[in-house]
Amino acid sequence: MSIFQRPRRVAIALRDNTLSEREKLNFLWVLFALSGIFGEESALVAIRALSSGYGLLLAVPWIILIWGTIASYRANRQGDNQNFIERFICLTTSLSIRAYLVYAVLLIPIHFLSRLIFSSQFNVFPFLTNQLVVIGMTLYIYVRLKSLMVIAAGSRGQEGAPNSET
């Protein structure tokens, strides 16, 4: 099925379970591409900012997102190769909740302190700290996602995998 199908046909294919995991992944890639083009922190903004040096800091989360999605897809494929999109959404959401809580806990005091210490509104310190926290948060989500995908897909050789919530 093409990603350009009518939404009703996609809904019917989902209901009838006729979409392959690869086709579902293609829908996810298109969603990422749309976010990358039209999103607030888009890949296009990062590309335009490459000459200033800040573009690399903006591009790293996108690189991690692509790597993490591929790695978790492969982990799922090596397991039972079922329900990748469902697992991806549920696990990413669960990990993102924790990551965004840490984001808030770290950045609110950093931004408050930087406003007290530095009087300029155009200080680079808040931007750099924000991007470093975003990079760390994105890396945490996708590294952890890959290991959780192995557990969710029931890959062989996971007898030593933790069975308690961490």
Side-chain angles (χ1 to χ4, degrees):
M1 168 172 278
S2 167
I3 57 169
F4 299 107
Q5 295 291 323
R6 293 182 182 179
R8 180 172 170 72
R9 291 204 60 208
V10 175
I12 291 168
L14 286 167
R15 179 196 67 202
D16 296 342
N17 201 22
T18 58
L19 282 178
S20 70
E21 291 302 302
R22 183 65 173 171
E23 289 171 319
K24 293 175 188 175
L25 179 64
N26 289 339
F27 278 94
L28 184 63
W29 285 127
V30 170
L31 181 63
F32 286 165
L34 290 172
S35 297
I37 294 168
F38 300 111
E40 186 178 319
E41 299 262 338
S42 73
L44 292 178
V45 171
I47 291 169
R48 280 188 297 213
L50 277 177
S51 62
S52 69
Y54 294 123
L56 185 59
L57 285 174
L58 294 171
V60 169
W62 283 100
I63 294 166
I64 295 169
L65 177 134
I66 292 167
W67 166 83
T69 302
I70 292 169
S72 61
Y73 178 76
R74 287 180 179 165
N76 189 69
R77 190 177 62 201
Q78 289 173 353
D80 64 4
N81 197 28
Q82 300 292 313
N83 306 318
F84 171 73
I85 297 299
E86 294 86 346
R87 291 171 179 165
F88 182 89
I89 291 169
C90 293
L91 292 171
T92 304
T93 302
S94 177
L95 290 166
S96 295
I97 290 168
R98 289 182 179 194
Y100 282 112
L101 287 173
V102 170
Y103 177 82
V105 166
L106 289 176
L107 283 183
I108 290 172
I110 288 171
H111 283 278
F112 178 73
L113 290 173
S114 69
R115 297 273 184 204
L116 288 176
I117 297 170
F118 303 106
S119 61
S120 172
Q121 289 283 10
F122 301 106
N123 192 335
V124 76
F125 180 75
F127 170 78
L128 289 176
T129 55
N130 182 60
Q131 283 309 112
L132 290 176
V133 171
V134 167
I135 289 168
M137 182 178 75
T138 307
L139 190 60
Y140 163 76
I141 289 170
Y142 286 99
V143 167
R144 198 70 178 104
L145 175 65
K146 181 182 180 273
S147 65
L148 292 172
M149 191 64 75
V150 169
I151 295 168
S155 296
R156 301 294 178 233
Q158 287 300 310
E159 293 81 20
N163 55 6
S164 65
E165 186 177 328
T166 56

